[in-house]
Amino acid sequence: MLTKRIIPCLDIKDGRTVKGVNFVNLRDAGDPVELAQRYAAEGADELVFLDISASEEKRKTLAKLVRDVAQAIDIPFTVGGGINAMDDVGILLDNGADKVSINSAAVRRPVLISEVANRFGTQCVVVAIDAKQIAAEWIVHLVGGKVPTERKLFPWAQEAVARGAGELLFTSMDHDGTKQGFANTALRQLSETVTVPVIASGGAGTMQHFIDTFVEGNADAALAASVFHFKEISIPELKHELRLHKIPMR
Amino acid sequence: MSVAIIDYGAGNIQSIHFALERLGVSATLSSDPETIQSASHVIFPGVGEASSAMAKLKSTQLDTLIPELVQPVLGICLGMQLMCNSSEEGNTTGLGIFDTEAVRFTTTRNVPHMGWNEVKGNGVLFDKIPNDIHFYLVHSYYAIPNENTVGHCLYDINFAAAMAKNNFYGTQFHPEKSGAIGEQLLQNFLSL
């Protein structure tokens, strides 16, 4: 049976892992390659690296980091953050990334999704969507959740898939950093709207939250950062718990 | 041992290169016929779209070279699908090594089939690998099982997760991304 996936996310700034609470107040949570190896050894099913640094040099730094990670780990990983053009994608994939996650650039220029999908295949295109509920509507936000757009979550998700997204990474900004659980109602609706895998992101605090997002949210994968970085939840224990709840795990 | 990874401009070939490095094997990425022919083992990777990948093979005559290779050859993912007679993806004629075809999933479930799924394998590739163990897969097309199928996987339908015929082997899953189990499979291939 195809298993549900547990995905630690490493937010990267200037080559180090950090985690924002509601996207601000960053804390250093260690060396990315070391963390990646630890997670792979503990049974993580995939990893996501999100580069949140803004310097001009970052593309070069990120490419090197991607290469270091690819050399060190034997599970799939996705790289995102600041991908604006085909060239950015090519550099990351050439250095060993399995997938790229495109967020703001896909909203600004949706044809980028199709360009990447046509060149490299839909399997490597993850469209990341940050959204926030405003007056009962899920509104898509850009630039790490700072800038609201006119787009709504569900139609945008459908468009992204039609254009070639092979997977969606949905972060609820209302839940991110709260440790109160994932946005399961929206996640379920999303999984019923699209025919590609959906990764739940934002809100993980306890093992029960993971159970809930797989059962109630029908998520294909669940992503979390700080609960793993600060060892509040151990991946082997989490997977054991999920198995006890009949959720298929590797 | 001299391992050649066929480099024909199709997708992520660093992953398999790095996986071999972790096994202490330094492989050569190459599209040069002589280098490929003289290697002890050949790996034929591939991700992306079938017809454009096949066009790239044709433009370098690798489409005629690969079926004539006599050393162990391992096709991975799209590589394995291209070793079949045909692929529905882009109405592509394949290399005709495995007598079957690749077709698109018609399931109501998610496509691509992405993630870790159980494979029932047998034969030399699966030596020291327990049955029903999980491998990492990501694909929208699958090869219909035939007499060359040595690994089965279920995603609504039963599809060929691994193939073997003479010196030719194929895996739909990515051994280079399947943790320690994938590493064992690569080691099994390299010990052929």
Side-chain angles (χ1 to χ4, degrees):
Chain A
M1 195 187 296
L2 182 67
T3 65
K4 302 283 188 181
R5 288 170 281 152
I6 299 297
I7 308 180
C9 176
L10 289 76
D11 289 348
I12 305 295
K13 190 166 196 282
D14 305 324
R16 298 280 296 174
T17 311
V18 290
K19 172 59 188 172
V21 177
N22 284 330
F23 291 95
V24 291
N25 299 330
L26 300 175
R27 276 166 76 183
D28 189 329
D31 170 45
V33 178
E34 209 175 291
L35 260 180
Q37 278 177 307
R38 187 184 115 202
Y39 290 138
E42 284 182 354
D45 297 302
E46 264 183 67
L47 297 174
V48 168
F49 295 83
L50 286 182
D51 186 45
I52 56 170
S53 50
S55 72
E56 291 293 313
E57 280 292 295
K58 80 169 192 177
R59 202 192 282 183
K60 220 181 283 175
T61 318
L62 184 61
K64 182 176 181 306
L65 175 65
V66 167
R67 198 175 178 83
D68 291 345
V69 171
Q71 283 175 323
I73 69 165
D74 52 12
I75 58 170
F77 69 100
T78 301
V79 181
I83 293 173
N84 286 311
M86 282 287 278
D87 286 354
D88 301 331
V89 175
I91 289 168
L92 298 173
L93 295 179
D94 282 349
N95 280 285
D98 297 288
K99 312 180 206 177
V100 291
S101 162
I102 310 176
N103 192 332
S104 301
V107 175
R108 290 194 193 104
R109 205 172 71 85
V111 75
L112 179 64
I113 302 170
S114 341
E115 288 171 1
V116 176
N118 291 338
R119 172 76 181 82
F120 300 106
T122 56
Q123 83 292 330
C124 74
V125 188
V126 181
V127 170
I129 307 176
D130 297 337
K132 187 179 201 162
Q133 224 171 1
I134 299 173
E137 289 279 8
W138 281 97
I139 304 297
V140 176
H141 282 60
L142 300 185
V143 203
K146 291 186 202 102
V147 181
T149 71
E150 290 182 352
R151 288 190 180 269
K152 291 170 185 164
L153 170 62
F154 301 107
W156 171 232
Q158 275 176 309
E159 181 181 339
V161 171
R163 287 181 181 276
E167 193 168 32
L168 297 179
L169 166 54
F170 165 50
T171 303
S172 162
M173 296 167 50
D174 297 326
H175 296 71
D176 194 67
T178 65
K179 299 197 173 183
Q180 298 296 308
F182 294 91
N184 294 325
T185 308
L187 279 159
R188 175 160 285 273
Q189 195 179 336
L190 195 55
S191 79
E192 286 163 3
T193 305
V194 297
T195 54
V196 299
V198 174
I199 305 170
S201 161
T206 66
M207 296 209 257
Q208 185 63 40
H209 294 153
F210 288 85
I211 297 168
D212 293 344
T213 204
F214 291 131
V215 175
E216 292 166 23
N218 199 27
D220 297 284
L223 176 146
S226 57
V227 290
F228 297 136
H229 301 332
F230 299 109
K231 304 185 183 178
E232 290 160 25
I233 294 178
S234 100
I235 292 171
E237 281 171 29
L238 173 61
K239 291 186 122 182
H240 176 72
E241 186 68 18
L242 288 165
R243 272 185 217 106
L244 290 180
H245 285 79
K246 308 274 182 252
I247 294 162
M249 283 284 129
R250 174 165 75 101
Chain B
M1 190 181 344
S2 57
V3 181
I5 300 169
I6 301 181
D7 180 4
Y8 59 112
N12 184 347
I13 54 172
Q14 287 299 349
S15 296
I16 184 71
H17 193 203
F18 292 150
L20 293 173
E21 273 183 6
R22 286 193 293 271
L23 292 172
V25 175
S26 158
T28 311
L29 305 176
S30 181
S31 57
D32 170 52
E34 276 181 34
T35 308
I36 294 169
Q37 272 168 326
S38 63
S40 65
H41 296 76
V42 175
I43 292 180
F44 176 36
V47 290
E49 199 272 330
S51 65
S52 53
M54 199 62 202
K56 283 174 194 151
L57 286 178
K58 281 191 171 151
S59 70
T60 46
Q61 280 94 50
L62 287 167
D63 62 321
T64 53
L65 178 94
I66 294 170
E68 288 169 3
L69 293 171
V70 293
Q71 65 275 58
V73 178
L74 176 65
I76 298 175
C77 195
L78 180 63
M80 183 191 94
Q81 293 188 6
L82 293 177
M83 288 160 85
C84 299
N85 289 339
S86 64
S87 171
E88 212 173 67
E89 189 177 24
N91 280 322
T92 306
T93 302
L95 301 175
I97 295 166
F98 302 127
D99 187 17
T100 186
E101 55 187 317
V103 295
R104 191 175 166 87
F105 279 113
T106 51
T107 173
T108 53
R109 300 178 67 184
N110 291 331
V111 178
H113 172 225
M114 182 187 287
W116 299 78
N117 204 337
E118 289 154 307
V119 173
K120 275 189 205 308
N122 57 71
V124 286
L125 279 186
F126 293 91
D127 191 28
K128 296 177 200 149
I129 293 175
N131 234 328
D132 295 326
I133 199 93
H134 294 93
F135 284 91
Y136 183 78
L137 303 106
V138 50
H139 58 128
S140 301
Y141 293 77
Y142 66 92
I144 299 168
N146 74 344
E147 70 277 10
N148 306 134
T149 304
V150 296
H152 290 269
C153 185
L154 192 66
Y155 189 60
D156 275 3
I157 52 99
N158 167 34
F159 67 87
M163 314 273 275
K165 182 185 177 184
N166 306 324
N167 58 315
F168 293 99
Y169 300 84
T171 62
Q172 180 60 62
F173 51 81
H174 288 273
E176 76 280 16
K177 287 286 162 183
S178 295
I181 293 295
E183 202 165 273
Q184 179 65 53
L185 187 134
L186 288 173
Q187 231 151 14
N188 292 345
F189 171 72
L190 295 175
S191 63
L192 291 170

